[in-house]
Amino acid sequence: MNEASELIAVKQIDNVVEELPVRDTAIAIREHIVEIVSDSGEGAQKCGQTLGILSAKMGNGVWTVEIIPAEIQPPARTPDGASGIRVRIGDSPMTNTGNDADLVVAFNEQVLRSRIGSHAYNDQTVVLLDNMWASDSDEKIRNQYADALLEFAECGLTVHELPIQEECLKVVPDPRKGKNMFVLGLLCHIYSRDTEKALAEISKIFARKSAKVVESNHALFNAGYAYAQRHIEIHYEIAAHSEPDHRMVVMNGNQAVGLGIMASGMELVAMYPITPATSASHFLADEFHSVGGFVHQAEDEIAAAGFAIGASYAGKTACTITSGPGIALKTEMIGLACMAEIPLVIIDVQRGGPSTGLPTKVEQSDLLATLFGAPGDSPKIILAAATISDCFHFVILARKLAESFRIPVFLLSDANLATGVQPFERPEVADDWFAAPIDQSPWDPKVLAYDWDEETGLSARPIPGMRGGEYVLTGLAHNRNAKIAYDATTNQVGSTMRSRKLAALADTLSPPEVHGDPEGDMLVIGWGSTLGTIEEAVDVARENGHKVSCIHLRFLSPLEPGLREICSRFKQVMTIELNYSDEIHASYINGETRRYAQLAQLLRAHTLLDIDCWSAVYGNPLQPGKISRVIIDRVIEVEGGK
Amino acid sequence: MFGLKSDWSVKANDRYFTLDDYSAAEPRWCTGCGDLAILASVHKVCRENQLLPENTVSVSGIGCSSRLPHYMKTYGFHGLHGRALPVACGVKSRRLDLDVWVATGDGDCFSIGAGHWIHALRYNMDMTVLVFDNGIYGLTKKQTSPTTPEAYQTNTHPGGAVLPPLNPLTITLGVTNISFVAQVVDWNTPLLYETIKAAHAHKGTSFVRIVQRCPVFMDVMNDELMDDPARFLLLNHEQGIPVPDGVSKMFESQADHDPNDLSAALGLANDRTKIPVGLLYRNPDAGIYNELSSQGLDFTSEDKLAGVNEALDKFLI
Ligand SMILES: Cc1ncc(C[n+]2csc(CCOP(=O)(O)OP(=O)(O)O)c2C)c(N)n1
Ligand code: SF4
Ligand SMILES: [Mg+2]
């Protein structure tokens, strides 16, 4: 990725007096990772999102990851307040965040320090830094700036100072809001982006604002573009990948969830605000009415789940969207939905935990909580989206499963998918994706409310309004006739029937596809948003001569079939996850005390195989480079031990 | 009524419902429990209004009182402790054709479900909410409830309840968008019936606090009260609950109270010397949330397809 780095020569800005020759030959590169970091509120994310959407529209592969501080207005110029975005653009579909950034634009030196702390850069990374702080009226700031520059030099980072503020001041009186569009202009020249498309995107962003606002942002963009043209010699071209046969859409995972809800025919979303799930409801608050739907903001998560369950009981499959702490509150309701067999879709956009944890950061830590959270035996279906396209399609699947199996269905997404932007094939929505209009024809009174099929546990459901179907739903142990029964067999029979539904569903699933050879030294297993990273890491390991393959699970309850058989074709199996596990070589940690990552725990029990794991909770998306090293080290360690 | 049409003809396939059509299993409440009287009144109101059993849903939480749905031959939802109201709101949200009833206890509504109590009142969805207030946790055997009288001995406060009881009426009347607040006692069956009937007829959330006897675990709140009618104040008004013949003379103290007058209602609710019985407040103009939550019910598949496609196209590359 850094093959072109020695060709980069950013002119020392102070020396620029005359116009520099315009460099119009762009160097072709396959992909680049760009980061834009600023204080919160300076619009780095908007800038990066626009670059991403624009690039997708130009036919590039794109993957974006937002860098979100936990506070709304964290103190300015602090590492903790770093707000920004990483955009990976390439000439083929991008499936993950990638490794170290190739180019960074930082609005101040402190936010840059934060990203260095997160190991996002290396000595090849080109850093463009606003130099306004060098001449700040506050001596303390001037010193901080100077100290940081020394610190950057010490860690081998080449920083190029740019007069971003100064240049913006020539266009607008207060560039704090608007600098981001100047930077977008810079980047658009550096990466040979289509300026007309860029200007159109800017108009879209400010569509609700006055024409004057649009105009000044256009002016800032043009100024940035012209500045780069004149003063920055870095100039790249990233080819579009072959024109897809299908129309493509580009969006983030929460928008995809929202559209999935619309396309599934659900009419109601009951929610309580919680990061990083809320933006899905924001999206629906804008759009849901166009399919006749309604977003209910409840008084808390318990009420949100109760409201959705009430609507579903009355024949309208509903959905609730939340994140970890909300899942904890909804647990009793979800247990009721299991017990009383009420269809319900629960979307869990996972964040860092436990407790309030890391609200804006990614983790895959709710698997076991969703699987085992409710008291008693409470079987439910759990799906995990691996891509933004999954975020859309799995909602439709989840609604159908919830209704056919009369069961709550979890769809696990995460902070990474929620804010990441990725293009995918535009779904061709069919009306059979919609929930059927509720059936109000009379119910055959001879059919009981829980007329469980002995083999599958499935039963049809009377809906209020159906004459002859009157029954009282209860969370108490009940028989086929929905009557409370405390006798010896009733609870055993009910539990068996509810559990049987999962086995019946598992029977319809196919084994996961193996990425790589069907057998070898190591099988890596992942789930959720790490798909692209793991596959890329496995490919790197394979290129290095290691016999490594991977599978990625979409169904976590029931698990996809054939796992034991697939695993047994490999000498070693390990999961890679974004949740906590004990490292092997730590004090007190041994074979008995080691706590495994969540999927690893499940799979060990499921396959009876000694499945290893690697997992971490840094809150950052996994980088393929790091993961390939983990995999290769583990393969070598095992081989060495033999 | 009686299946007769206005021209005195009877249509053979017309349905007429008797009390039996609304009553299911034999109630398992203790002898002398006030819940029995409430259930009987609910059955009567159903029959009086000839509610379609298939279009009637009773929703409850957990507690003795929350067993009510099992004794109704309609649809029912016996859910979680404290959570009847959000479920009932969800049932109503997109099913305006359903007649929704809520049965909840003092622990269910005023303690574990207190958050939902406040907010459900604000939503003011069209449903009838009956709080069976026996001043005690019945089902779990005599623990202190929010309305247990101070110093009353319970299993969690053997030395006597330590806090003054919560006043459900002042709280209810203090909630914005409240639309119907009444109070009644279970042992005055004619008045109980009239109150539930008026509550059911009201459009919006009708909240009825029913002072309910629990002969097993609570004697102060019923025996003493039953023996002392002077403690009550009967509220009369032409827009209030119609007082049946013979009931009026049971009450020594009576007052003319205009149910449109919120501050007078609050005054009555705050009066510690008298327990008001009747309609405290009614506002037929309060906004009804199910009118919002049911938007788009008429959308066809084609409308929905058009809506999704339009939304998707905004993301086209
Ligand atoms: C989450 C939860 N906590 C506690 C209980 C136990 N519980 C069941 S009913 C009840 C109190 C019932 O009192 P009330 O609501 O006044 O109803 P009553 O039995 O008096 O009619 C309690 C504490 C429960 N079922 N669920
Ligand atoms: S315990 Fe009290 S409230 Fe419960 S059924 Fe018996 S008398 Fe009624
Ligand atoms: Mg009680």
Side-chain angles (χ1 to χ4, degrees):
Chain A
M1 260 161 284
N2 293 304
E3 63 268 30
S5 55
E6 65 265 31
L7 299 168
I8 294 163
V10 176
K11 295 290 158 191
Q12 245 354 88
I13 305 309
D14 305 331
N15 307 337
V16 177
V17 192
E18 290 149 52
E19 287 230 335
L20 287 164
V22 174
R23 184 176 181 136
D24 47 14
T25 41
I27 296 162
I29 49 171
R30 294 215 52 196
E31 63 158 274
H32 240 214
I33 297 170
V34 187
E35 278 196 9
I36 304 137
V37 272
S38 68
D39 282 345
S40 191
E42 289 185 316
Q45 281 151 11
K46 197 40 72 205
C47 171
Q49 284 158 359
T50 314
L51 179 66
I53 290 172
L54 175 65
S55 300
K57 292 195 169 179
M58 290 176 64
N60 292 121
V62 172
W63 184 281
T64 70
V65 181
E66 293 188 2
I67 303 152
I68 311 171
E71 295 162 48
I72 300 295
Q73 285 185 331
R77 295 179 36 77
T78 54
D80 282 349
S83 172
I85 189 162
R86 156 180 280 239
V87 191
R88 188 179 182 193
I89 308 169
D91 64 3
S92 57
M94 297 286 107
T95 65
N96 65 77
T97 172
N99 298 315
D100 295 345
D102 298 294
L103 186 125
V104 182
V105 185
F107 289 24
N108 69 61
E109 79 289 352
Q110 297 303 321
V111 292
L112 190 57
R113 286 178 66 211
S114 134
R115 294 298 293 159
I116 292 168
S118 298
H119 310 289
Y121 312 138
N122 62 27
D123 55 4
Q124 306 279 300
T125 307
V126 175
V127 181
L128 309 180
L129 174 63
D130 192 343
N131 69 1
M132 65 183 280
W133 314 102
S135 53
D136 198 274
S137 59
D138 185 341
E139 191 192 338
K140 211 174 107 209
I141 291 182
R142 289 199 303 274
N143 290 340
Q144 280 174 346
Y145 184 77
D147 291 349
L149 285 185
L150 289 176
E151 186 186 322
F152 299 152
E154 262 166 44
C155 54
L157 210 63
T158 322
V159 176
H160 306 280
E161 299 172 83
L162 295 192
I164 298 177
Q165 172 86 359
E166 194 184 313
E167 288 296 316
C168 289
L169 275 171
K170 294 179 188 165
V171 185
V172 289
D174 176 16
R176 220 186 114 76
K177 286 215 162 52
K179 212 187 261 189
N180 59 339
M181 291 297 129
F182 180 88
V183 171
L184 182 63
L186 279 182
L187 292 170
C188 280
H189 183 262
I190 295 177
Y191 292 105
S192 316
R193 304 289 88 183
D194 182 326
T195 46
E196 233 163 79
K197 282 200 169 87
L199 290 169
E201 281 305 313
I202 297 173
S203 306
K204 229 196 244 174
I205 300 172
F206 298 103
R208 288 187 189 174
K209 301 270 170 66
S210 67
K212 228 180 121 205
V213 174
V214 177
E215 223 170 84
S216 78
N217 280 288
H218 279 176
L220 282 159
F221 173 87
N222 288 332
Y225 193 89
Y227 181 85
Q229 203 169 18
R230 258 182 278 129
H231 302 296
I232 299 181
E233 285 201 5
I234 330 167
H235 192 29
Y236 297 120
E237 209 164 54
I238 308 171
H241 59 88
S242 56
E243 278 288 306
D245 303 340
H246 297 275
R247 293 187 296 164
M248 304 287 278
V249 283
V250 58
M251 65 183 75
N252 68 37
N254 276 359
Q255 290 164 330
V257 160
L259 281 162
I261 288 170
M262 292 168 72
S264 75
M266 276 190 271
E267 292 176 27
L268 183 84
V269 167
M271 51 72 69
Y272 187 79
I274 185 166
T275 306
T278 319
S279 65
S281 303
H282 291 176
F283 170 76
L284 285 169
D286 278 337
E287 298 285 349
F288 209 10
H289 62 89
S290 66
V291 292
F294 181 72
V295 179
H296 171 60
Q297 179 180 334
E299 59 269 29
D300 59 35
E301 279 91 348
I302 301 175
F307 199 96
I309 284 176
S312 175
Y313 165 77
K316 307 279 185 177
T317 313
C319 154
T320 182
I321 310 178
T322 191
S323 188
I327 290 292
L329 283 180
K330 289 176 206 273
T331 301
E332 195 189 9
M333 276 292 173
I334 293 163
L336 172 67
C338 293
M339 179 58 144
E341 305 191 48
I342 313 164
L344 175 70
V345 175
I346 309 121
I347 293 164
D348 177 5
V349 186
Q350 298 167 96
R351 62 193 221 176
S355 188
T356 311
L358 291 170
T360 59
K361 308 279 186 193
V362 65
E363 229 172 80
Q364 301 176 315
S365 287
D366 294 350
L367 173 56
L368 296 182
T370 48
L371 186 56
F372 299 123
D377 186 52
S378 41
K380 55 198 76 105
I381 295 171
I382 303 178
L383 300 174
T387 61
I388 298 196
S389 157
D390 284 354
C391 288
F392 175 88
H393 290 283
F394 281 13
V395 183
I396 296 143
L397 176 62
R399 184 196 62 73
K400 286 200 174 161
L401 290 172
E403 263 158 34
S404 316
F405 288 82
R406 220 176 155 174
I407 200 170
V409 180
F410 277 104
L411 171 52
L412 302 182
S413 170
D414 65 33
N416 208 1
L417 291 170
T419 58
V421 170
Q422 220 192 330
F424 63 98
E425 206 175 286
R426 184 198 187 282
E428 294 305 326
V429 183
D431 59 5
D432 63 358
W433 292 7
F434 299 155
I438 59 167
D439 183 0
Q440 294 284 274
S441 55
W443 179 266
D444 176 358
K446 289 195 290 294
V447 178
L448 303 178
Y450 296 94
D451 192 21
W452 295 306
D453 177 272
E454 284 292 337
E455 275 179 20
T456 60
L458 297 179
S459 56
R461 185 167 74 107
I463 304 287
M466 284 180 166
R467 183 175 168 183
E470 296 85 353
Y471 76 108
V472 179
L473 175 147
T474 179
L476 283 156
H478 50 267
N479 59 23
R480 288 172 190 268
N481 198 14
K483 295 280 181 264
I484 302 174
Y486 303 117
D487 62 276
T489 53
T490 300
N491 200 40
Q492 181 69 27
V493 171
S495 297
T496 307
M497 291 292 92
R498 291 187 294 272
S499 177
R500 187 63 51 77
K501 294 188 287 187
L502 288 190
L505 170 59
D507 189 57
T508 67
L509 304 178
S510 350
E513 261 175 50
V514 180
H515 176 88
D517 292 332
E519 73 271 302
D521 290 339
M522 158 94 69
L523 177 72
V524 174
I525 308 183
W527 63 283
S529 68
T530 50
L531 169 72
T533 305
I534 293 176
E535 288 191 350
E536 191 171 321
V538 163
D539 291 345
V540 170
R542 294 171 64 79
E543 280 157 23
N544 283 287
H546 300 284
K547 291 181 186 142
V548 180
S549 303
C550 62
I551 56 175
H552 209 76
L553 302 184
R554 253 91 171 191
F555 271 86
L556 296 161
S557 171
L559 283 162
E560 289 154 46
L563 294 179
R564 188 184 157 86
E565 193 273 321
I566 296 173
C567 291
S568 59
R569 292 189 238 130
F570 293 83
K571 290 188 190 139
Q572 262 278 305
V573 182
M574 81 186 280
T575 68
I576 296 214
E577 305 179 55
L578 283 171
N579 50 45
Y580 182 78
S581 64
D582 289 324
E583 278 180 33
I584 313 169
H585 308 291
S587 49
Y588 292 110
I589 303 303
N590 56 45
E592 279 188 357
T593 56
R594 183 176 182 211
R595 293 173 65 238
Y596 284 81
Q598 301 200 2
L599 178 63
Q601 282 191 44
L602 268 189
L603 291 178
R604 288 170 71 86
H606 181 78
T607 62
L608 299 179
L609 297 172
D610 187 9
I611 291 173
D612 194 4
C613 63
W614 179 94
S615 71
V617 287
Y618 295 110
N620 299 323
L622 294 180
Q623 299 194 345
K626 160 108 187 148
I627 297 307
S628 63
R629 282 193 297 280
V630 167
I631 294 172
I632 292 168
D633 286 352
R634 218 43 84 91
V635 175
I636 291 169
E637 191 180 313
V638 169
E639 279 168 358
K642 269 186 190 153
Chain B
M1 278 194 87
F2 304 118
L4 290 181
K5 304 184 75 171
S6 50
D7 63 356
W8 302 103
S9 67
V10 185
K11 229 172 106 198
N13 58 356
D14 257 2
R15 300 159 74 195
Y16 173 71
F17 304 107
T18 66
L19 287 179
D20 276 351
D21 292 312
Y22 299 105
S23 29
E26 196 61 33
R28 300 268 188 90
W29 288 311
C30 309
T31 320
C33 176
D35 294 358
L36 291 154
I38 302 171
L39 176 68
S41 285
V42 172
H43 286 160
K44 274 178 71 184
V45 173
C46 290
R47 184 196 54 184
E48 171 71 20
N49 291 287
Q50 286 293 299
L51 301 185
L52 291 174
E54 66 268 26
N55 275 23
T56 305
V57 183
S58 63
V59 181
S60 67
I62 298 289
C64 293
S65 37
S66 290
R67 286 297 177 105
L68 179 125
H70 292 284
Y71 310 136
M72 303 274 297
K73 222 186 262 171
T74 63
Y75 279 91
F77 191 113
H78 178 209
L80 296 180
H81 190 32
R83 319 295 173 202
L85 285 167
V87 170
C89 290
V91 170
K92 189 74 192 181
S93 64
R94 311 272 303 167
R95 289 297 305 272
L96 304 185
D97 55 326
L98 298 179
D99 202 311
V100 179
W101 296 73
V102 175
T104 172
D106 42 321
D108 206 55
C109 186
F110 306 145
S111 191
I112 189 168
H116 310 312
W117 167 33
I118 309 290
H119 291 279
L121 289 170
R122 249 180 96 215
Y123 300 139
N124 190 36
M125 295 174 88
D126 192 12
M127 58 180 71
T128 309
V129 179
L130 308 177
V131 185
F132 297 47
D133 189 351
N134 54 6
I136 198 82
Y137 286 6
L139 189 71
T140 45
K141 302 198 165 87
K142 206 179 187 182
Q143 295 84 22
T144 310
S145 103
T147 52
T148 301
E150 196 167 352
Y152 185 77
Q153 289 177 347
T154 69
N155 286 326
T156 39
H157 294 102
V162 291
L163 296 172
L166 172 146
N167 183 337
L169 290 184
T170 51
I171 295 172
T172 301
L173 288 164
V175 176
T176 352
N177 211 38
I178 187 81
S179 81
F180 184 107
V181 186
Q183 177 160 273
V184 67
V185 298
D186 79 63
W187 55 89
N188 190 326
T189 38
L191 194 60
L192 176 66
Y193 167 72
E194 289 298 337
T195 307
I196 295 178
K197 192 171 128 185
H200 177 259
H202 173 75
K203 205 158 180 271
T205 299
S206 18
F207 174 90
V208 186
R209 181 199 184 205
I210 306 172
V211 179
Q212 174 235 319
R213 283 164 300 163
C214 169
V216 181
F217 296 127
M218 169 56 71
D219 31 37
V220 204
M221 251 177 76
N222 40 66
D223 297 0
E224 285 179 19
L225 280 180
M226 277 180 85
D227 294 345
D228 190 5
R231 296 272 302 277
F232 294 94
L233 178 73
L234 180 68
L235 307 181
N236 290 311
H237 196 267
E238 54 179 15
Q239 290 179 38
I241 311 280
V243 181
D245 294 342
V247 167
S248 187
K249 57 177 179 288
M250 295 176 189
F251 292 91
E252 282 171 27
S253 322
Q254 304 201 1
D256 246 356
H257 167 64
D258 178 356
N260 298 300
D261 186 344
L262 182 59
S263 46
L266 271 162
L268 290 166
N270 257 321
D271 183 352
R272 297 212 183 164
T273 59
K274 294 277 185 215
I275 302 167
V277 174
L279 182 60
L280 284 113
Y281 182 65
R282 173 163 51 204
N283 175 12
D285 301 323
I288 294 175
Y289 191 75
N290 47 255
E291 286 169 9
L292 288 175
S293 66
S294 57
Q295 67 183 24
L297 275 179
D298 52 342
F299 273 55
T300 61
S301 274
E302 289 76 56
D303 295 336
K304 291 182 188 183
L305 264 184
V308 190
N309 281 326
E310 195 186 314
L312 265 172
D313 284 343
K314 292 185 188 162
F315 296 91
L316 269 181
I317 289 179

